[in-house]
Amino acid sequence: MHDEELGAAVARAQDGDEAAFTVAYRIVQPSLLGYLRGLVGDEAEDVASDAWLEIARDLGRFKGDGAGFRGWTATIARHRALDHLRRQRARPRAGGSEQDVLDLPSPHNTHEQALESLSTERALQLVRGLPRDQAEAVLMRVVVGLDGPAAARVLGKRPGAVRTAAHRGLKRLARQLGVRETEDGVTDEASRTLGESK
């Protein structure tokens, strides 16, 4: 969507323009954060911070356009997320209970934020429930917005395998949400929304 603007901002950022780096960050960060939420859940912002440190450090080595930059940042974020997941498996859980964390006051407590958070979290929860290859393909294609070949490069797979995994993942999500496809491939108008799903 913003690939031309992003490509121009990245080129200026590589020449030392800090404001241009901010523009690139603002274009990429929302989808990157959504992708990471699908992989690591509530730890997404921490993992994104680690990824952006690496992106900023290695920006001079990047070569490509706006779409290429989105793919490059997604690759870095994916590696940081996988590192994070490996560390979590190897590290014993800290003392205290999950209830201790749930009892902490939130700085944002508005009705609208709660509804938006619930629908976004529900969608990401459903995606996290998919087999890993399908979840990553759906996140790369739908959340990050990469095309098939770019998503395949990030995931280290063939484009056809990514397309198939994304298709299967989306069909599985549709079934979970009660969306039915008619004979002509159109979805049933009476399908439930995420907020109404079980």
Side-chain angles (χ1 to χ4, degrees), residues 65-83:
D65 59 6
F69 185 74
R70 283 189 300 119
W72 183 69
T73 58
T75 300
I76 291 171
R78 180 174 187 260
H79 290 156
R80 295 298 64 79
L82 296 176
D83 289 347

Side-chain angles (χ1 to χ4, degrees), residues 5-27 52 59 69:
E5 180 184 2
L6 178 58
V10 169
R12 289 192 319 273
Q14 288 178 313
D15 290 335
D17 184 340
E18 290 181 25
F21 185 83
T22 301
V23 170
Y25 173 85
R26 287 183 180 154
I27 292 171
W52 279 104
L59 184 63
F69 185 74

Side-chain angles (χ1 to χ4, degrees), residues 118-140:
L118 284 173
S119 62
T120 300
E121 183 54 38
R122 175 71 176 134
L124 292 173
Q125 182 182 37
L126 289 171
V127 171
R128 282 193 300 267
L130 294 172
R132 186 180 184 133
D133 66 323
Q134 293 177 13
E136 282 199 294
V138 168
L139 290 167
M140 281 290 168

Side-chain angles (χ1 to χ4, degrees), residues 44-72:
E45 290 194 23
D46 292 339
V47 174
S49 295
D50 290 343
W52 279 104
L53 286 173
E54 187 173 337
I55 291 163
R57 183 192 71 209
D58 296 342
L59 184 63
R61 295 184 201 165
F62 171 74
K63 292 187 182 354
D65 59 6
F69 185 74
R70 283 189 300 119
W72 183 69

Side-chain angles (χ1 to χ4, degrees), residues 5-191:
E5 180 184 2
L6 178 58
V10 169
R12 289 192 319 273
Q14 288 178 313
D15 290 335
D17 184 340
E18 290 181 25
F21 185 83
T22 301
V23 170
Y25 173 85
R26 287 183 180 154
I27 292 171
V28 173
Q29 175 66 357
S31 61
L32 199 64
L33 196 54
Y35 170 64
L36 289 170
R37 280 194 183 112
L39 293 179
V40 300
D42 293 337
E43 307 282 328
E45 290 194 23
D46 292 339
V47 174
S49 295
D50 290 343
W52 279 104
L53 286 173
E54 187 173 337
I55 291 163
R57 183 192 71 209
D58 296 342
L59 184 63
R61 295 184 201 165
F62 171 74
K63 292 187 182 354
D65 59 6
F69 185 74
R70 283 189 300 119
W72 183 69
T73 58
T75 300
I76 291 171
R78 180 174 187 260
H79 290 156
R80 295 298 64 79
L82 296 176
D83 289 347
H84 174 79
L85 292 172
R86 278 190 289 275
R87 281 192 307 271
Q88 275 193 322
R89 282 193 301 266
R91 181 179 1 160
R93 289 188 72 128
S97 70
E98 291 178 8
Q99 190 60 41
D100 295 337
V101 176
L102 293 174
D103 290 339
L104 293 174
S106 171
H108 309 288
N109 195 13
T110 66
H111 180 70
E112 285 180 15
Q113 286 176 326
L115 289 177
E116 181 179 328
S117 175
L118 284 173
S119 62
T120 300
E121 183 54 38
R122 175 71 176 134
L124 292 173
Q125 182 182 37
L126 289 171
V127 171
R128 282 193 300 267
L130 294 172
R132 186 180 184 133
D133 66 323
Q134 293 177 13
E136 282 199 294
V138 168
L139 290 167
M140 281 290 168
R141 297 294 309 272
V142 177
V143 177
V144 178
L146 296 180
D147 63 13
R153 282 191 299 276
V154 171
L155 297 174
K157 298 182 178 193
R158 293 183 331 273
V162 172
R163 275 193 305 276
T164 299
H167 177 74
R168 288 179 178 160
L170 291 171
K171 282 191 79 103
R172 181 177 281 190
L173 290 172
R175 281 193 308 272
Q176 289 175 354
L177 293 170
V179 176
R180 292 182 191 88
E181 239 181 80
T182 62
E183 290 177 17
D184 59 359
V186 178
T187 56
D188 182 3
E189 288 182 35
S191 64

